[in-house]
Amino acid sequence: MSLSIECKKRPENVKGNALRREGIIPATLYGHNGTESIQLTVDQKEAALMLRGVTVDETVIDVNIPDLSWNGQAVVKEIQAHPWKRNLIHLSFCYVKPEA
């Protein structure tokens, strides 16, 4: 089963709490272009469904960023959630080079 998620580029000067109130989770993609990282947003419901089948640092996910015309594979590096409410706070993805 292939897991995939669609992300959008995070708008400048928008606080994370404001995004979360709108049902959007802030995320970061590391290593997609060398040492650069990019700030993204993910729909909360889509992220929650995707995370049901994910193991941190193991499960490869197809990441699609239409705003930047970028597609690639990544693993979930970190899932930040509220300690007792279990609400998602932030996701971190790490780019995985395709095997040749």
Side-chain angles (χ1 to χ4, degrees):
M1 181 176 133
S2 176
L3 294 173
S4 64
I5 192 157
E6 187 169 313
C7 303
K8 295 181 181 176
K9 189 171 185 324
R10 183 174 170 178
E12 300 274 332
N13 301 323
V14 177
K15 304 267 185 200
N17 284 337
L19 291 171
R20 288 182 206 98
R21 281 191 294 270
E22 295 176 14
I24 300 170
I25 305 299
T28 304
L29 174 64
Y30 296 100
H32 73 290
N33 190 14
T35 59
E36 293 181 24
S37 64
I38 185 164
Q39 303 300 313
L40 304 170
T41 60
V42 180
D43 180 67
Q44 184 175 7
K45 290 179 183 177
E46 187 177 344
L49 286 174
M50 180 216 40
L51 291 174
R52 288 182 183 176
V54 168
T55 303
V56 174
D57 284 336
E58 290 182 19
T59 309
V60 178
I61 301 166
D62 294 321
V63 178
N64 181 20
I65 309 171
D67 298 348
L68 303 175
S69 301
W70 188 88
N71 292 325
Q73 293 185 328
V75 293
V76 176
K77 202 68 170 157
E78 182 180 30
I79 302 168
Q80 293 180 8
H82 191 277
W84 66 83
K85 293 181 184 179
R86 305 306 298 163
N87 295 341
L88 286 174
I89 295 174
H90 188 272
L91 295 174
S92 297
F93 298 100
C94 188
Y95 173 70
V96 176
K97 287 185 180 181
E99 294 180 20

